[in-house]
Amino acid sequence: MTLPSDILDKNRKTLVELLLKEIPPELNLASIEFEGPEIVLYVNNRQAIVKFLDTIKAIAKKIRKRVVVRASPDARLPPEEAKKKILELVPKDANVDPNSIVFDETLGEVWIKAEKPGAIVGKGNIIRHFVLAETGWRPVPQRASPLESKMLNTIMSNLLKQSKYRLEFLRRVGERIHRDVIFKNNYVRVTALGGFMEVGRSAILVETKESRVLLDLGINVGAIHDPLKAYPEIDLDAIRVDELDAVIVTHSHLDHVGVVPLLYKYGYRGPTYMTKPTRELSAIMIQDLIQVARREGRDIPFGEKDLSTMILHTIPVEYDEVTDVAPDIKLTMYNAGHILGSAIVHLHIGMGLHNIVYTGDFKYSSTRLLDKAVSEFPRVETLIIESTYGATKQQSRQAAEQQLVDIVKRTIERRGVVLIPVFAVGRGQEIMVVLNEAIEKKLIPPVNIYIEGLINEVTAIHTEYPEYMSKSLRDAIYRGENPFTSEHFKIIEGDVGRPDIVEDRPSIIMATSGMLTGGPAVDYLRLIASDERSSLIFVGYQAEGTLGRKIKDGMREITNVVEGKVEVLKINLEVHSIDGFSGHSDQTELVRYVLNIKPKPRNIILNHGEPNAIYTFARLISRAVRDPSSGYQTVPNIFTPSILDSVNLTASR
Amino acid sequence: MTLPSDILDKNRKTLVELLLKEIPPELNLASIEFEGPEIVLYVNNRQAIVKFLDTIKAIAKKIRKRVVVRASPDARLPPEEAKKKILELVPKDANVDPNSIVFDETLGEVWIKAEKPGAIVGKGNIIRHFVLAETGWRPVPQRASPLESKMLNTIMSNLLKQSKYRLEFLRRVGERIHRDVIFKNNYVRVTALGGFMEVGRSAILVETKESRVLLDLGINVGAIHDPLKAYPEIDLDAIRVDELDAVIVTHSHLDHVGVVPLLYKYGYRGPTYMTKPTRELSAIMIQDLIQVARREGRDIPFGEKDLSTMILHTIPVEYDEVTDVAPDIKLTMYNAGHILGSAIVHLHIGMGLHNIVYTGDFKYSSTRLLDKAVSEFPRVETLIIESTYGATKQQSRQAAEQQLVDIVKRTIERRGVVLIPVFAVGRGQEIMVVLNEAIEKKLIPPVNIYIEGLINEVTAIHTEYPEYMSKSLRDAIYRGENPFTSEHFKIIEGDVGRPDIVEDRPSIIMATSGMLTGGPAVDYLRLIASDERSSLIFVGYQAEGTLGRKIKDGMREITNVVEGKVEVLKINLEVHSIDGFSGHSDQTELVRYVLNIKPKPRNIILNHGEPNAIYTFARLISRAVRDPSSGYQTVPNIFTPSILDSVNLTASR
C-alpha cells in the first residue's frame, strides 16, 4: 500500500507514513482509514493478524492512538460460511444463540449474542482476533440478557440499517479529529451554559483556540414551561453546530442529556460520546420526555427523529479508555458511581497544556449498584465539581436501608401495602437490590414486589451491562445470581388491574413517577391512600410544587378531578421519607472528594447546585484546602460562575 | 411621500409611519433615510425648515432618535450661488475663509472653515438651519486653526473624495442599527479580550442575545515582538467581523485604538465610533506606528490602507450625545479628562435592562488641559474601571508644577539646557501650557522653548478642538489667548541643526519619544549629556527596559554605536523625574471615583492594571463600599477578570 494522495493534512499524513513504515508487510495492508477516534487497518492477509497482534499493540502505544484491525472486504468469508466457522471457534460456555448472529457488511463486523459475551472476546482480545483471522469478520459481542430491552433492540437494528451512513460519518469524524492544528494552543476556556447556580439544564462549553467541545446538554424539566429557563444558552455564537467538535454526555438523566437531540435538529452532525448504558438509558428517557409532552399537549422543540439522529451519531466509549475527540483534546471517562453508565469526564488538552476533570453527578461512596466514584487521575489542573448537596448532610446508607426494612416489615406485619414511588433510572434498581436481599436474608417475609413503569425497561438495560455495576454485584450476576431476575419481582406491563394488585396483601409496589407528578404511582396512591395499614415511602428528592413534596410536607388531603367529578381523598396511610438513597455525594463526601482527589487541581469550579449549596460548599473547601494537612501545596482558585460566565483556565491569577 | 415598500423591518416601518404622521405636510418630504445612527428627513420645501424646527425637535425627542433635516438634491442652489449666499448669511465675526468653502454633493453638506466656527451654527443650530433653508446645503463648520494639521487635511479630503461610498455605508449601518430585535433581551455579557490583569491591548466585547459591540481594540506596543501578547484575543469566535455591530474607541492611545485597522483588514465594514479629536489623533498615532515599524524592519499586520478604511468607517460622536449603535444599545460618551477627546463610554442596553459605564483611561481631577472626568450618569449597573494606579499614590498637580518650575529656573540661571522627553499625545501639551504660564507670570525668564517631533502635529489638533478642552483653556482660546501659539514656542520641522539649537542657552527643549526609545529626544540627550549645567526631566512613565528607565534608575553612562564606532557618553547633567503629570487617576482618585459615581453600580469590574494594582484596588474598594457612609446600599460584586474570562452582568449572584 502506498500513501494515499488525498490526505492533505500533515497530521494524518505523518501518522499514515509512520504506520506504513511499522506495519509488517506480511499483513498485506489494503488501506488505512480514520474512523471516528480509531485508526483502522484493513488487511488482505487476515491469517497473519494473530501473529502480529503484539506488534500492532506496540504501534498503537507508540503513536498514542486507538488502532483497530479489520479484514479488507475481499478477505472476508461469505456470511453463511463465516457463521459456521464462528460457531466452531467460539468457546462453548459462551452459550451463543445461533439465531442472533448478524453481519454488518459495511463495517465488516459480526454481532454475536451470547450469555457470556466476554468469552467471545477472550483475554486480551485473543479470541476476537482469532475469529477475525479465520473469517475476516470482527466479532462484536452482545449480552443475551434475561430481561429484554425493547429500546436496545430498536437501537441495534437501526444502527445496522444505517451502517453505510455510519461508516461515512465515522470517516468524516476521523478526518476532523486528526486535522492539523492551526494555532499554537495558548488557552483553555470554559463557559457556563446551564446548570450553574442552579440544578437542571447542565451544559458546559470547553474551548481552545482550535476546538470546541460541549460537556452535557440537559433540560430543566421543572422549568419546561419557560424556554428561557428550560434550555441551556445554546444560541451563543461560540457553539455553532458546524464548529462543534464533540458533545460529551456524563449520564442519562434528562438534566444532562435532554437537549442533545435539539442540536441534531439544528443541523449538528458531529459525534456525541457516552458510555453504552448511557446511550440506551438516554434513549429511554428522552423518548419518554417526548411522549409525555405530546400526551400533555406541551410543545417540545424536537422529536423522535432527532433522537434517532442523535443515537446514530453517538460514539460509545468505555471507562478508562483514552479517546481522541479533537486534534488537541483526549477524553477519558471514569466511573462516577451515580447511576448505571455515569461518568466523570477527564479531558487532556493540548499535549499536556491543561487537564480538566468534570465530575458530572457523582457519588463518592459505594452503593449496592455501583462502586464509588474514581478520584485518581493522570493529571488534573481544573476540577469542575457538582454541588447539589453542598449545604446538606445525609443519613448513612446503612441507616437508610435499616429504616426502609423496618417500615416495610411493620407494614407487612399489619398486612398493608408499601408504595414506593421511584425514578425510572437509578434509585429504583438500588431499592430492588436492597429489598431482594432483605427477603433472601429473611429480614422481611417473601412478599410480592410489583414493579410498574419505565423502571422495567431500565432494569433490563442494567442486566445488559453488568460490567458497569459494582464489583460485587457484577460477580454475583456472573455467578448466575442476578438480583433483578428474582422471583419476588412481578413486572406489570400493559393494561393491568391496579385495583386487583392492591388487594394482594401484604405486598410492595414500586412505580413511577418518583415525585408523584403522574404515572402509575399516583394511581396506586389513590387506591390505598385511605388505608391506615399501608405505607408511602419517598426514597428520592421531592421538588417544590410536586404532589410528592406536598404530601411529604404534611398535606393530608388530595383533591382530584376524576371523570368530571371532584374527589377528595383523605391520606391515612403512613408517610415516610428516607434521604439516604441519593445518588449524589452529600456535603461530607463532596468535601472529602476535593481533599482526596489526586493530583490536586489549581482551579476548582462549582456547578450543579442552588446558590446556597454553591456558596456553602465554596466556603467549606476554601477553608479546607488552606489546612496544611489538606495536601494542597498551593491554594487553588475557587470559582462560582453564573450562567454565561466564562473562565480562562490557563490564565495566571 | 408614501411608505417605501422596500422597508421590511417592523422596527423601521414603525418609525417611518410615525414620522409620516407627525411631519408637517408643508415641508414636502422627499424621503426618509436611515444614515448611520441618524434619521435624515430630505425635504423639498427647504424654505419651511426654520418654521418647523421646534416641531422636528419635538418629534426627535418623542421617538428618542437623532433626526437630521437636509434639503432634497433638487432643492439645493447651484454651489457657486450657494457660496455667495452663505457669505452673505453667515455672521461677519465668524471670519469665514471664502476659499475654504467646499461642497459635498452626495451628502448635501457644505464645509465652511472659519476662525469662529460656532458662529456658523448659531445658538440652538439656528444659523445652520437658516443657511440650509436659504441654500439647501447643510453647513458643517470647521475651525480655521492657527496651527495646521496635515493629518486633518488629509482625512477631510479623503472623506470628500469617498463621499458616495460614505453615504452607502451610512445607509447600510442605519439599516443594521434599526433592524428588528429577534430575541427577548435576557442577558448582557462582557468578555475580557485584552488589557485585563495587564496594561496594553485593551479590548472588551459586550454581547447581548442580539448584538455585539467592541470597546477599544488596542495594541501592546511593549510586547510588539510577541503577537500572542501584543494583540487582543480577536480570533475568538464571538467577534466575527460580519456580526459585529460597532467598535467604540475611548481615546487615541495605541493601547486602545492600535488594532482597529486590523479588523478592517480582516473585512470588517461596520462603524467605529469615537470623538473627532480621537479620530484625528488616532490616525496620527497609528500612522506613526506603521511608519516606525517599517523603518525598523518589523512586521505589523496592517498598513496605511487599512488605517484609511478605518477612518472612512468612523462615525464621530460628541460628548453627552445619545447615539443608537445597535437595535438594543445606545451609546453616550462623556469627558474622561485623560487626553484630548478621551471618553468614558456609557451603554444603555435593552431598553433599560442594563447600563454599563466603561471609564477607559480617565483622570478624576482637573488638569491645565482638561476638566475632570464625569462621574454622574443617568443609570449605571456595571462600572468597568481602569486600575493603572490602583496601588500607587501620586504627587499633587501643584507640587509637580512647582517642582518643574524650580528645576527649569535653576537650570536657566546656570545657562543650561532643559531637555524634556515627551509623549506625542497628552502630557506634552500640558507641559507647554505650564511653561508658557510660568513665563507669562515671570516665574521663569522668557527663554526659547524648542519643540520637535510628532507633538507638533498633535498640538495642531488641540487647537482645532478647543471645545474638548477645559472650560478655562477653551475660554482663553475663544478670547484669543491661545497658549499653543505663544511666541515662546519654536517649532522644529524638517532637517534642523540640533547642535545649533543646544547652543542657544539657556533654553528648553521638548522632544519625543517620551521614554528615550528613539526620536529627536535621544539625539538631543547625546548633545548635552556631558554638560553639568543642563537638566533632563522625565514627566511621564518610563517602562522597564527603556533607556529612559535606565537613566531614571541611576545609569550614568550610555554606550552608543555611531557610524561604526563605539561611543561612551558620560551623563553629567542633572536627572529629575516628576510623577504628578500623569493623565491617569491615582489610587486616591480611583477610590474616590468609585465612591462618588452616581448612581451606584452593582457590578464593578477592574481592568487596565498590573495584577498588584488590580488586587490592591479591589481590596481597597471592597472595604470602602462596605462603609455605611459610602452611599452603597448593597455591596456590589467586584470582579477581577483575566483575559478570556466572561462575566454575565445580568446574572443574580
Side-chain angles (χ1 to χ4, degrees):
Chain A
M1 198 203 120
T2 51
L3 185 66
S5 58
D6 64 326
I7 300 189
L8 297 172
D9 298 324
K10 229 175 112 190
N11 189 359
R12 283 193 296 146
K13 212 171 204 161
T14 312
L15 281 167
V16 168
E17 280 171 347
L18 214 144
L19 286 165
L20 288 179
K21 218 169 62 190
E22 302 261 347
I23 294 165
E26 202 182 325
L27 280 166
N28 194 359
L29 204 58
S31 64
I32 298 175
E33 301 287 350
F34 294 79
E35 295 179 4
E38 294 173 342
I39 300 179
V40 184
L41 310 177
Y42 286 89
V43 302
N44 289 316
N45 182 9
R46 57 174 156 85
Q47 279 84 358
I49 290 175
V50 176
K51 178 175 166 190
F52 291 114
L53 261 192
D54 286 342
T55 315
I56 292 164
K57 271 184 199 162
I59 295 171
K61 200 171 171 187
K62 187 172 172 183
I63 62 172
R64 292 160 167 260
K65 300 284 165 195
R66 275 159 66 185
V67 176
V68 170
V69 185
R70 299 183 196 273
S72 67
D74 295 344
R76 294 171 197 157
L77 289 183
E80 271 316 302
E81 213 174 306
K83 185 170 169 178
K84 260 187 233 152
K85 202 104 199 184
I86 288 165
L87 290 170
E88 281 169 38
L89 289 171
V90 169
K92 289 293 153 269
D93 62 344
N95 238 332
V96 171
D97 171 4
N99 297 319
S100 77
I101 298 181
V102 181
F103 291 85
D104 180 339
E105 311 232 353
T106 314
L107 289 169
E109 290 181 343
V110 53
W111 298 358
I112 307 170
K113 225 174 217 181
E115 278 183 21
K116 292 198 173 160
I120 296 169
V121 172
K123 214 165 185 175
N125 268 330
I126 187 69
I127 305 220
R128 162 179 273 166
H129 285 105
F130 201 60
V131 172
L132 174 62
E134 290 295 311
T135 69
W137 296 88
R138 185 176 174 81
V140 178
Q142 292 183 279
R143 178 169 300 274
S145 165
L147 305 172
E148 200 167 350
S149 160
K150 281 180 223 125
M151 181 56 84
L152 184 55
N153 290 341
T154 310
I155 289 174
M156 296 318 284
S157 84
N158 278 341
L159 285 179
L160 192 61
K161 262 189 238 153
Q162 309 209 52
S163 172
K164 213 168 153 208
Y165 172 80
R166 178 104 179 146
L167 184 62
E168 285 165 22
F169 156 69
L170 288 174
R171 292 200 178 160
R172 179 163 46 79
V173 172
E175 282 189 26
R176 189 174 167 123
I177 291 174
H178 295 95
R179 73 183 179 272
D180 289 345
V181 172
I182 301 162
F183 296 103
K184 204 176 133 191
N185 245 300
N186 75 338
Y187 65 75
V188 181
R189 179 174 187 246
V190 298
T191 299
L193 299 178
F196 285 75
M197 287 286 170
E198 66 179 11
V199 175
R201 59 165 171 169
S202 282
I204 304 172
L205 177 68
V206 177
E207 275 174 293
T208 71
K209 254 194 163 140
E210 186 61 36
S211 317
R212 257 157 293 285
V213 163
L214 265 182
L215 304 180
D216 286 340
L217 195 66
I219 190 167
N220 188 342
V221 180
I224 200 124
H225 298 283
D226 180 358
L228 283 183
K229 287 180 180 164
Y231 304 104
E233 290 287 355
I234 48 170
D235 56 341
L236 201 73
D237 262 22
I239 52 163
R240 294 157 201 248
V241 290
D242 53 338
E243 295 180 8
L244 201 58
D245 288 283
V247 178
I248 297 169
V249 171
T250 56
H251 66 283
S252 57
H253 281 149
L254 287 174
D255 62 329
H256 292 257
V257 74
V259 181
V260 179
L262 187 60
L263 266 194
Y264 287 97
K265 188 182 171 186
Y266 282 173
Y268 179 56
R269 289 299 176 268
T272 295
Y273 296 90
M274 53 179 92
T275 62
K276 277 189 180 164
T278 298
R279 179 183 66 184
E280 275 61 291
L281 295 172
S282 294
I284 293 169
M285 299 297 283
I286 293 171
Q287 194 178 50
D288 187 57
L289 174 76
I290 295 167
Q291 287 172 352
V292 169
R294 193 177 299 139
R295 210 154 53 221
E296 297 181 357
R298 242 188 307 107
D299 252 359
I300 189 149
F302 52 85
E304 269 106 344
K305 192 167 154 284
D306 306 305
L307 171 57
S308 295
T309 311
M310 165 185 134
I311 299 294
L312 182 61
H313 293 84
T314 296
I315 298 181
V317 294
E318 289 175 22
Y319 288 154
D320 310 321
E321 181 186 66
V322 181
T323 303
D324 291 277
V325 297
D328 57 347
I329 304 181
K330 286 170 187 287
L331 158 73
T332 315
M333 286 193 166
Y334 295 91
N335 169 43
H338 175 62
I339 58 170
L340 189 78
S342 67
I344 291 180
V345 164
H346 181 276
L347 298 181
H348 174 83
I349 301 174
M351 304 288 287
L353 173 69
H354 206 86
N355 292 264
I356 298 176
V357 165
Y358 165 46
T359 65
D361 293 356
F362 78 106
K363 178 77 178 170
Y364 196 44
S365 65
S366 302
T367 63
R368 294 287 175 154
L369 235 48
L370 305 170
D371 290 330
K372 80 169 171 179
V374 169
S375 60
E376 284 195 32
F377 305 92
R379 284 183 54 182
V380 192
E381 279 81 29
T382 292
L383 168 67
I384 306 174
I385 185 170
E386 68 121 321
S387 318
T388 322
Y389 288 115
T392 322
K393 282 183 185 167
Q394 278 164 11
Q395 195 180 22
S396 79
R397 188 57 66 130
Q398 293 88 324
E401 291 189 7
Q402 188 59 54
Q403 192 185 350
L404 178 68
V405 166
D406 289 348
I407 300 165
V408 171
K409 192 156 171 271
R410 283 202 318 265
T411 311
I412 290 175
E413 281 167 359
R414 58 177 190 250
R415 303 194 65 74
V417 174
V418 178
L419 174 60
I420 309 177
V422 284
F423 305 102
V425 177
R427 292 323 97 190
Q429 288 72 32
E430 182 84 10
I431 303 291
M432 286 171 77
V433 175
V434 171
L435 290 176
N436 187 57
E437 195 191 274
I439 293 177
E440 298 290 313
K441 289 192 174 164
K442 302 191 194 317
L443 301 175
I444 54 175
V447 297
N448 283 332
I449 304 173
Y450 296 98
I451 303 181
E452 188 175 348
L454 215 50
I455 176 173
N456 288 316
E457 179 70 14
V458 170
T459 305
I461 301 292
H462 279 70
T463 65
E464 301 275 358
Y465 295 108
E467 63 272 29
Y468 281 88
M469 292 197 274
S470 69
K471 192 175 177 313
S472 59
L473 192 53
R474 185 169 63 226
D475 288 349
I477 290 173
Y478 288 162
R479 278 196 313 271
E481 299 164 14
N482 187 337
F484 299 113
T485 56
S486 155
E487 51 171 355
H488 308 300
F489 297 125
K490 308 294 174 195
I491 292 169
I492 310 297
E493 272 181 302
D495 218 4
V496 285
R498 286 175 195 151
D500 296 341
I501 287 169
V502 299
E503 286 315 310
D504 175 14
R505 283 161 179 260
S507 69
I508 300 171
I509 300 170
M510 295 174 64
T512 51
S513 76
M515 296 192 270
L516 295 177
T517 50
V522 177
D523 221 26
Y524 284 113
L525 177 63
R526 287 180 49 230
L527 293 168
I528 61 168
S530 60
D531 175 26
E532 289 169 10
R533 292 169 304 167
S534 291
S535 300
L536 171 67
I537 311 178
F538 295 113
V539 292
Y541 184 69
Q542 304 298 310
E544 199 74 51
T546 61
L547 179 59
R549 174 65 163 263
K550 286 175 190 157
I551 295 176
K552 192 187 161 194
D553 285 351
M555 190 176 78
R556 285 296 173 267
E557 255 185 25
I558 326 173
T559 311
N560 272 321
V561 180
V562 183
E563 291 165 14
K565 280 192 282 185
V566 175
E567 169 199 272
V568 179
L569 259 182
K570 286 260 177 227
I571 298 179
N572 297 327
L573 46 51
E574 278 185 18
V575 177
H576 298 277
S577 182
I578 307 179
D579 70 356
F581 286 111
S582 167
H584 292 272
S585 305
D586 81 339
Q587 189 187 60
T588 315
E589 288 161 358
L590 285 174
V591 173
R592 201 184 299 142
Y593 194 83
V594 169
L595 293 176
N596 286 1
I597 189 171
K598 274 181 197 163
K600 299 289 176 264
R602 55 182 165 85
N603 299 314
I604 301 179
I605 299 177
L606 310 190
N607 79 335
H608 204 285
E610 300 295 333
N612 178 43
I614 297 271
Y615 289 128
T616 308
F617 185 31
R619 264 194 309 275
L620 280 177
I621 54 176
S622 171
R623 204 183 309 139
V625 297
R626 280 176 168 81
D627 189 302
S629 68
S630 70
Y632 280 83
Q633 307 291 321
T634 326
V635 174
N637 303 306
I638 297 170
F639 299 91
T640 59
S642 292
I643 289 177
L644 285 176
D645 285 353
S646 297
V647 180
N648 178 354
L649 305 179
T650 40
S652 57
R653 291 172 201 268
Chain B
M1 198 203 119
T2 52
L3 186 66
S5 59
D6 64 326
I7 299 188
L8 298 171
D9 298 325
K10 228 174 112 191
N11 189 359
R12 282 193 295 145
K13 216 172 202 156
T14 311
L15 281 168
V16 168
E17 280 170 348
L18 214 144
L19 285 166
L20 287 181
K21 218 169 60 191
E22 303 261 346
I23 293 166
E26 199 182 328
L27 280 166
N28 194 1
L29 205 57
S31 64
I32 297 175
E33 301 288 349
F34 294 80
E35 295 179 5
E38 294 173 343
I39 300 180
V40 183
L41 310 179
Y42 285 89
V43 302
N44 289 318
N45 182 9
R46 56 176 157 85
Q47 279 83 359
I49 290 174
V50 176
K51 177 175 168 190
F52 291 114
L53 260 192
D54 286 342
T55 316
I56 292 165
K57 271 185 200 163
I59 295 172
K61 200 173 172 187
K62 186 172 175 184
I63 61 173
R64 291 161 168 262
K65 299 286 166 194
R66 274 160 64 185
V67 176
V68 169
V69 185
R70 297 183 198 274
S72 67
D74 296 343
R76 293 172 199 156
L77 289 183
E80 270 317 301
E81 212 173 309
K83 188 171 166 178
K84 261 185 238 156
K85 201 107 199 178
I86 289 165
L87 289 171
E88 283 168 36
L89 290 170
V90 169
K92 289 295 152 265
D93 63 342
N95 236 335
V96 171
D97 171 4
N99 297 318
S100 78
I101 297 181
V102 181
F103 291 85
D104 180 338
E105 312 233 352
T106 314
L107 290 170
E109 289 180 343
V110 52
W111 297 358
I112 306 170
K113 225 176 216 178
E115 275 181 27
K116 291 197 176 163
I120 296 170
V121 172
K123 214 166 184 176
N125 267 331
I126 186 69
I127 304 216
R128 161 179 275 165
H129 285 104
F130 199 60
V131 172
L132 174 62
E134 291 294 311
T135 69
W137 296 88
R138 186 178 174 80
V140 179
Q142 289 184 282
R143 179 169 299 275
S145 166
L147 305 172
E148 198 166 353
S149 160
K150 282 181 221 122
M151 179 58 83
L152 184 57
N153 290 341
T154 310
I155 290 175
M156 296 317 286
S157 84
N158 279 341
L159 285 178
L160 191 62
K161 263 189 238 154
Q162 309 209 53
S163 173
K164 214 169 151 207
Y165 172 81
R166 178 99 180 153
L167 184 63
E168 285 165 24
F169 156 69
L170 287 173
R171 294 202 177 158
R172 177 161 48 76
V173 172
E175 282 189 27
R176 191 176 166 122
I177 289 174
H178 296 96
R179 73 184 181 271
D180 289 346
V181 173
I182 302 163
F183 297 103
K184 201 177 133 189
N185 247 301
N186 76 338
Y187 66 75
V188 181
R189 180 173 187 247
V190 298
T191 298
L193 299 178
F196 285 75
M197 288 287 171
E198 66 180 11
V199 174
R201 59 165 170 169
S202 282
I204 303 172
L205 177 68
V206 177
E207 276 174 291
T208 71
K209 255 195 162 137
E210 186 61 36
S211 316
R212 257 157 294 286
V213 163
L214 266 182
L215 304 180
D216 286 340
L217 195 67
I219 189 168
N220 188 342
V221 180
I224 200 122
H225 299 284
D226 180 356
L228 284 182
K229 289 183 180 162
Y231 304 104
E233 290 287 354
I234 47 170
D235 55 342
L236 202 72
D237 263 21
I239 51 162
R240 295 158 202 246
V241 289
D242 52 338
E243 294 180 10
L244 201 57
D245 287 284
V247 179
I248 297 168
V249 172
T250 57
H251 65 283
S252 57
H253 281 148
L254 288 173
D255 63 328
H256 292 257
V257 73
V259 181
V260 179
L262 188 60
L263 267 194
Y264 287 96
K265 188 183 171 183
Y266 282 174
Y268 178 57
R269 289 297 175 269
T272 294
Y273 297 90
M274 54 179 91
T275 62
K276 276 189 181 165
T278 298
R279 178 182 67 184
E280 273 61 291
L281 295 173
S282 294
I284 293 170
M285 299 297 283
I286 294 171
Q287 192 180 49
D288 187 57
L289 174 76
I290 295 167
Q291 287 173 351
V292 169
R294 192 177 299 139
R295 211 155 50 222
E296 296 181 357
R298 243 189 304 109
D299 253 359
I300 190 150
F302 52 84
E304 269 105 345
K305 193 167 153 287
D306 307 304
L307 171 58
S308 294
T309 311
M310 164 186 135
I311 298 295
L312 183 61
H313 293 84
T314 294
I315 297 182
V317 295
E318 287 175 24
Y319 288 155
D320 310 320
E321 179 186 66
V322 181
T323 303
D324 291 277
V325 298
D328 58 347
I329 304 182
K330 286 172 189 284
L331 158 72
T332 315
M333 286 192 168
Y334 295 91
N335 169 43
H338 175 61
I339 57 169
L340 188 78
S342 67
I344 290 180
V345 165
H346 180 277
L347 298 181
H348 174 82
I349 301 174
M351 304 288 289
L353 173 69
H354 205 87
N355 293 265
I356 299 176
V357 166
Y358 166 44
T359 65
D361 293 357
F362 78 106
K363 177 77 178 170
Y364 196 43
S365 66
S366 303
T367 62
R368 293 288 175 151
L369 235 48
L370 304 170
D371 289 330
K372 79 169 170 178
V374 169
S375 61
E376 283 195 34
F377 305 92
R379 283 183 54 182
V380 192
E381 279 81 30
T382 292
L383 168 67
I384 307 175
I385 186 171
E386 68 121 322
S387 318
T388 322
Y389 288 115
T392 321
K393 283 186 184 162
Q394 280 163 12
Q395 196 181 21
S396 79
R397 188 56 67 128
Q398 293 88 325
E401 290 189 7
Q402 188 59 53
Q403 192 184 351
L404 178 67
V405 167
D406 288 349
I407 299 165
V408 170
K409 194 158 170 267
R410 282 202 320 266
T411 311
I412 290 175
E413 282 166 1
R414 60 177 189 251
R415 304 194 62 76
V417 174
V418 177
L419 174 60
I420 309 176
V422 284
F423 304 103
V425 178
R427 291 323 97 190
Q429 288 72 33
E430 182 83 11
I431 303 291
M432 285 171 77
V433 175
V434 172
L435 290 177
N436 187 57
E437 195 190 275
I439 292 176
E440 299 288 314
K441 290 190 175 169
K442 302 189 193 318
L443 301 175
I444 52 174
V447 296
N448 284 333
I449 303 173
Y450 295 98
I451 303 181
E452 188 175 350
L454 216 50
I455 175 174
N456 288 316
E457 178 70 14
V458 170
T459 305
I461 301 292
H462 279 69
T463 64
E464 301 275 357
Y465 295 109
E467 64 273 28
Y468 281 87
M469 292 197 274
S470 69
K471 192 175 178 311
S472 58
L473 193 52
R474 186 169 61 226
D475 290 348
I477 291 174
Y478 287 163
R479 279 197 311 271
E481 298 164 16
N482 187 336
F484 298 116
T485 55
S486 154
E487 51 171 354
H488 308 300
F489 297 125
K490 308 294 172 195
I491 292 170
I492 310 297
E493 272 179 303
D495 217 4
V496 285
R498 287 174 195 152
D500 296 339
I501 288 170
V502 298
E503 286 315 310
D504 175 15
R505 283 163 179 257
S507 69
I508 301 171
I509 301 170
M510 295 174 65
T512 52
S513 78
M515 295 192 272
L516 296 177
T517 51
V522 177
D523 220 27
Y524 284 113
L525 178 63
R526 286 181 50 231
L527 293 168
I528 61 167
S530 59
D531 174 27
E532 288 168 13
R533 290 169 305 165
S534 291
S535 300
L536 171 66
I537 311 177
F538 295 114
V539 292
Y541 184 68
Q542 304 298 310
E544 198 77 52
T546 60
L547 178 57
R549 175 64 162 264
K550 286 175 191 156
I551 295 175
K552 189 185 164 195
D553 286 352
M555 192 176 79
R556 285 298 172 266
E557 254 184 28
I558 326 172
T559 310
N560 272 320
V561 180
V562 183
E563 291 166 14
K565 278 191 283 185
V566 175
E567 169 199 272
V568 180
L569 257 183
K570 284 263 177 226
I571 297 180
N572 295 327
L573 47 53
E574 278 184 19
V575 177
H576 299 276
S577 181
I578 306 178
D579 71 356
F581 286 111
S582 167
H584 293 272
S585 305
D586 81 339
Q587 190 187 61
T588 314
E589 289 161 358
L590 285 173
V591 174
R592 200 184 301 144
Y593 194 82
V594 169
L595 294 177
N596 285 2
I597 189 170
K598 271 181 199 162
K600 298 289 176 260
R602 55 182 165 84
N603 300 313
I604 301 178
I605 300 177
L606 310 190
N607 80 336
H608 203 284
E610 300 295 333
N612 178 44
I614 297 273
Y615 289 128
T616 307
F617 184 32
R619 264 196 309 275
L620 279 178
I621 55 176
S622 171
R623 204 184 308 141
V625 296
R626 279 175 170 80
D627 190 303
S629 69
S630 71
Y632 280 84
Q633 307 292 321
T634 326
V635 173
N637 304 305
I638 296 169
F639 299 92
T640 59
S642 291
I643 288 178
L644 285 177
D645 286 354
S646 298
V647 180
N648 178 354
L649 304 180
T650 39
S652 55
R653 292 174 199 266

